[in-house]
Amino acid sequence: TPGTSPSMILIRRRITTAFAAALAVAAAGSIAPEAVSGPADDLPDIGSPSDALLPPNTARANGRSVVRQLREAGQVLEDPEVSEYVQTLGSRLAMHAHEGDHRFTFFVVNDNGINAFALPGGYIGVNAGLIEATQTESELAGVLAHEIAHVTQKHIARRADAMGRTSILTAAAVAAAIIMGASGAGGDAVQAAAMGAQGFQAQQQINYTRVNEYEADRVGMQILYAAGFDPYGMPSFFETMNRLNGSMANRVPEFLLTHPLTSTRVAEARSRAEKLPPKDQVDSINYPRMRARLRILTARSPAEGAEHFQGMIDRNVDAEEPYVRYGLGLGLMQSGKAASAERIFFDLRDHNEGVVAYHSALGQAQLIAGQPAEGLITFEQAQALFPRNRPLTVRHAEALIRVGRFEDAHMLLLDLFNNVPPTPPEVKLIATAADSAGQRAEALYYMAEYHLLVGQLPQAVDKLRLALGQPDIQDVQRARFQARLDELMPYLADAKKAQRGGR
């Protein structure tokens, strides 16, 4: 409507559930065994005990709290291109997971270890090292399908229930301690999470049972095949893990610690694949490119990553494959040789204009090489070809911020987020753009939305109060911010009440 800031409609409908989720976090730790009613004796094990112990909103909030700890410890790889690829791949699989009503969020852990895990509420993490260890996209999809099955079959909640109804929030904290500890992370987040864990006993608290693993293999295979992937991807990756286990001396891949493999289990997975009609599946163009990108992002230095791909070219190993040149270009760009990278990306883009990442990489290289006008033209042309592509738009906004066009970046991101749900880092980016454009009140409002997305209700309330206290706030902003604050306050009061009741 006239006079209304465009940010008024920013993803409101997409994050309203954060209120209830934030309340659930506060209440989750106070669930007592007697507060959870058991089912009648003739009901199956998969029924109401898990639902009572871990209702959907509580599960989502608890999983989100673990992801927040990982993010605060620097363990979540915040790369727009990689994040979008993994989320898209995971969503394609999740469409075929029909058991229950689940929302899935897929993210990449910034660690070279080979592991993947499912958290309460449909949060599924996959290590960068696991993605690099796969040989085909079907292998990676098989791992994600297996983790999706852990969620749809309620293995996390059922495991907690079988252990005497231990609070699922405590179990999630233990999971975070193990994940972060294995990744070499430090800080208070790890120590706090580890308080309730003692060595091997803690590991046993989150390990899935053998029955759970077989069930996740069976259900995951169905999801994998229904999504159009080669069912042999699952047993193939299992065999890869066993080979790595035999070649890594004293170091066992983390995946085998949390997903124990036996020869029988591998054989059964292969037998299931053999019973399905053959399905030819070709890797997407994004798969090798994202593995190359991860090689650069997780290398000890960009120069080392560039040397890896230059070595492939020198040895004539996939020397003409675009992913090799893409990886080399990224390594050069990030190691201070943007002009050389620019030439590589020009060639890649001109030979395949349908690959969004080539446009983004070229625009970034041009800006780093001191050609801001050319870089912005590259982004604008790409935006016309791929409107509202998330990674491209984020990179374009970063470029606009880099050259001081803060309000343009703000409006570009606002248009994107009114059409697709933003991630927490993306909400931080629009807050940065608004703040740099001199719109302090709007920036605080966006940060309130950020805190809601990560389940931090009190911090969201604080940011809204700060926004209301800005001296240059307009009447329409004041009305909007106050309405949002009024919407949150009852949830905050209930959360505090739940916390007092849990002490």
Side-chain angles (χ1 to χ4, degrees):
T1 58
T4 300
S5 168
S7 58
M8 183 173 183
I9 57 172
L10 174 69
I11 58 161
R12 293 287 297 270
R13 63 186 180 280
R14 302 184 188 277
I15 61 176
T16 302
T17 54
F19 313 143
L23 173 60
V25 168
S30 62
I31 297 176
E34 59 271 18
V36 184
S37 58
D41 291 341
D42 58 348
L43 292 180
D45 290 341
I46 199 172
S48 55
S50 299
D51 293 337
L53 179 70
L54 191 59
N57 280 347
T58 304
R60 190 78 182 166
N62 291 334
R64 185 170 51 237
S65 72
V66 177
V67 175
R68 185 174 69 245
Q69 291 179 55
L70 291 170
R71 180 170 280 119
E72 290 171 353
Q75 290 300 297
V76 176
L77 197 153
E78 309 283 14
D79 180 77
E81 288 82 4
V82 172
S83 299
E84 179 79 354
Y85 167 71
V86 171
Q87 181 64 40
T88 300
L89 178 62
S91 297
R92 173 180 167 183
L93 292 158
M95 287 175 58
H96 300 277
H98 303 300
E99 294 87 351
D101 182 18
H102 300 280
R103 288 185 295 137
F104 288 93
T105 299
F106 301 85
F107 63 96
V108 179
V109 179
N110 189 13
D111 186 78
N112 285 323
I114 302 172
N115 203 8
F117 52 90
L119 296 172
Y123 287 91
I124 293 176
V126 55
N127 282 20
L130 185 144
I131 297 174
E132 291 187 59
T134 60
Q135 299 300 309
T136 67
E137 194 167 34
S138 288
E139 288 188 2
L140 175 56
V143 173
L144 295 181
H146 177 96
E147 300 302 332
I148 289 170
H150 277 310
V151 175
T152 63
Q153 303 311 114
K154 305 183 181 180
H155 290 160
I156 302 169
R158 289 160 65 187
R159 180 64 172 165
D161 185 55
M163 295 179 61
R165 306 186 191 279
T166 302
S167 167
I168 196 65
L169 184 57
T170 301
V174 173
I178 292 169
I179 295 163
M180 295 158 73
S183 301
D188 296 339
V190 179
Q191 296 175 13
M195 289 291 288
Q198 294 184 0
F200 181 74
Q201 181 180 3
Q203 178 68 61
Q204 293 305 301
Q205 284 184 297
I206 66 164
N207 275 351
Y208 298 117
T209 67
R210 182 174 299 179
V211 172
N212 290 162
E213 287 300 297
Y214 276 99
E215 186 175 37
D217 290 348
R218 176 181 58 79
V219 175
M221 178 78 75
Q222 296 170 356
I223 294 171
L224 182 68
Y225 187 77
F229 291 95
D230 180 2
Y232 284 96
M234 185 177 289
S236 176
F237 184 74
F238 290 165
E239 290 163 355
T240 297
M241 286 296 93
N242 279 337
R243 285 196 301 271
L244 286 174
N245 188 33
S247 64
M248 294 179 68
N250 295 326
R251 184 183 176 191
V252 179
E254 293 91 336
F255 187 84
L256 296 183
L257 294 176
T258 54
H259 304 75
L261 284 172
T262 64
S263 57
T264 301
R265 184 176 161 205
V266 176
E268 288 194 7
R270 182 161 288 278
S271 176
R272 289 192 193 99
E274 290 172 350
K275 293 176 182 177
L276 293 169
K279 180 167 290 189
D280 294 330
Q281 193 271 327
V282 179
D283 293 340
S284 72
I285 193 172
N286 286 325
Y287 171 71
R289 191 172 59 249
M290 290 305 106
R291 289 178 72 235
R293 190 175 186 88
L294 284 171
R295 166 71 72 162
I296 297 298
L297 293 174
T298 60
R300 284 178 292 186
S301 70
E304 180 187 70
E307 289 172 5
H308 168 79
F309 290 105
Q310 185 61 59
M312 292 181 68
I313 293 172
D314 294 342
R315 298 190 308 274
N316 200 28
V317 178
D318 287 350
E320 298 301 317
E321 291 293 328
Y323 82 87
V324 176
R325 288 179 289 143
Y326 177 69
L328 175 60
L330 290 176
L332 291 171
M333 180 172 66
Q334 295 188 18
S335 56
K337 300 178 181 179
S340 298
E342 181 186 356
R343 289 191 291 271
I344 292 173
F345 294 137
F346 251 126
D347 183 66
L348 287 171
R349 185 199 64 173
D350 290 348
H351 282 83
N352 196 335
E353 290 190 347
V355 177
V356 183
Y358 296 159
H359 295 263
S360 292
L362 175 59
Q364 288 178 289
Q366 288 170 322
L367 262 75
I368 296 172
Q371 304 173 45
E374 291 84 349
L376 290 177
I377 289 172
T378 295
F379 277 116
E380 289 163 6
Q381 291 174 341
Q383 204 81 57
L385 292 172
F386 313 103
R388 295 182 181 135
N389 176 274
R390 183 198 297 271
L392 173 65
T393 304
V394 168
R395 295 302 187 192
H396 189 184
E398 290 173 345
L400 289 168
I401 291 172
R402 185 185 181 100
V403 301
R405 290 172 53 180
F406 305 118
E407 182 56 25
D408 288 341
H410 177 202
M411 298 308 295
L412 182 68
L413 291 170
L414 189 60
D415 174 71
L416 175 68
F417 300 152
N418 278 327
N419 289 276
V420 299
T423 65
E426 291 166 355
V427 177
K428 275 192 172 181
L429 183 63
I430 195 173
T432 298
D435 194 38
S436 299
Q439 300 185 33
R440 177 64 175 165
E442 290 295 319
L444 288 166
Y445 171 78
Y446 293 138
M447 285 306 298
E449 303 295 324
Y450 165 81
H451 287 299
L452 283 176
L453 280 174
V454 299
Q456 297 174 321
L457 182 58
Q459 291 91 327
V461 169
D462 289 343
K463 288 294 187 294
L464 284 171
R465 287 171 172 163
L466 285 172
L468 284 165
Q470 295 303 300
D472 57 347
I473 188 174
Q474 299 177 5
D475 289 343
V476 66
Q477 290 176 309
R478 185 181 303 281
R480 176 159 50 89
F481 299 165
Q482 188 62 56
R484 189 62 153 160
L485 184 62
D486 292 344
E487 194 174 11
L488 295 182
M489 289 307 295
Y491 291 94
L492 182 63
D494 289 345
K496 290 179 177 179
K497 186 184 302 182
Q499 286 180 326
R500 288 194 299 268
R503 285 198 290 266

